Structure formats: C-alpha cells, structure tokens
Amino acid sequence: MIIVQEADFDGAALLAQLREQVGAEAGAIVTFTGYVRDFAPGQATETLFLEHYPGMCERELQGIADTAQQRWKLAGTVIAHRVGALPRSAQIVFVAAASAHRGDAFRGCEYMIDALKTRAPFWKRETLSGGRSFWVEQRDADHDRTRAWETGGTPPDSP
C-alpha cells in the first residue's frame, strides 16, 4: 500500500489494514513513524514544506516496497508520506513491514525508510522560527546507508 497525501494519516488504522491484509501469514510487523523535528538545538522549526513529483513519486515508493519484498520474506508493506506544509511535531512518514519473523520485518522496514530518504522525489523546504527558510539537502550518511543496502552490505548506524 502506497499513500502520498497532504492530510494526516492514522498509523493505527494503517497497521490494522496491513494486519488484515496479511492475516496469520505475519508473526511480526515493524513500523516506523517520522515527525517534523527542530532543525538544530536552539533553532526551532516552524514548518517543513514537502513537494513531490506526482506519479513518479508513487512509482518510486512502490519500487522501494517491491525491492524490500523481493529481498526479505515480507507478507506486506505500507509506505504513507505526507506533502505540503507541516508544522513542527507533525507526522511526515509511516513505514511498515509484515513478515513471518521479526528479522525480515525489521530489515525490510529499515531498508524502506533509508531508501525513500534518498530515492523518492521529495523536496523539503524548512522555515525556522526566526524566518530563515532553506531547502534541505540530503545527508551523506543517508546516501551511505542506502548504498550499503544496495550492495548487500550492512548499513552503518544511523546518525
């Protein structure tokens, strides 16, 4: 299930949908929810504005989910991502992976969030409480993690 929308999402409802979809095939479901956070200590974020390339974005997210399902024994996946203006502490992304065993579910979920951070066509503009606004650049650490997954290695710890 791939969802890209401005409206907030209900993580519990998405989890329930996935649970119903996979039934008894899944002994584990791992979820990740990302939130708008402050840019840096002492620099409060007012809003994070996310733009996307409609159609292309959903196809890339589906490709990421398909890769996870091919690489690990996943019974089902969910990726929900918001776009538009989001205030500090708002939900941005929900990722879930269901599997018979927890190891595949953990790895599948972690891979999907890492891959979407570097491969999905989203652009983020952050506005701080002082009025400063800037486009958020992808971090080298995120690229390193995605590259490690793609080469079959183990990604370094998250920064």
Side-chain angles (χ1 to χ4, degrees):
M1 178 181 348
I2 303 298
I3 301 165
V4 178
Q5 64 188 23
E6 286 189 30
D8 199 3
F9 54 80
D10 180 343
L14 293 171
L15 176 59
Q17 281 182 278
L18 180 59
R19 181 90 172 113
E20 184 176 325
Q21 173 194 330
V22 299
E25 191 177 339
I29 298 178
V30 173
T31 68
F32 171 85
T33 305
Y35 299 89
V36 176
R37 58 170 166 65
D38 283 333
F39 173 68
Q43 299 182 46
T45 296
E46 285 296 317
T47 58
L48 182 64
F49 185 81
L50 288 100
E51 291 186 26
H52 75 300
Y53 192 111
M56 179 188 279
C57 186
E58 290 84 352
R59 282 190 302 277
E60 186 62 34
L61 293 176
Q62 185 62 60
I64 291 166
D66 291 347
T67 298
Q69 289 182 337
Q70 292 163 5
R71 196 158 173 198
W72 296 280
K73 295 177 184 173
L74 302 182
T77 60
V78 175
I79 299 175
H81 207 295
R82 294 182 64 197
V83 294
L86 305 177
R88 181 178 54 244
S89 299
Q91 298 182 117
I92 302 172
V93 62
F94 177 87
V95 175
S99 175
H101 302 284
R102 71 181 183 271
D104 285 334
F106 272 110
R107 285 185 292 279
C109 186
E110 188 176 18
Y111 164 77
M112 287 188 293
I113 192 65
D114 284 345
L116 79 81
K117 288 187 72 158
T118 58
R119 290 182 28 202
F122 290 105
W123 297 272
K124 301 174 185 178
R125 186 179 67 236
E126 194 152 0
T127 301
L128 304 180
S129 58
R132 180 174 157 230
S133 184
F134 56 93
W135 290 101
V136 178
E137 294 185 26
Q138 290 184 347
R139 299 178 314 165
D140 289 339
D142 292 331
H143 284 286
D144 292 345
R145 289 185 61 78
T146 301
R147 198 172 304 111
W149 286 115
E150 290 172 351
T151 59
T154 303
D157 289 336
S158 294

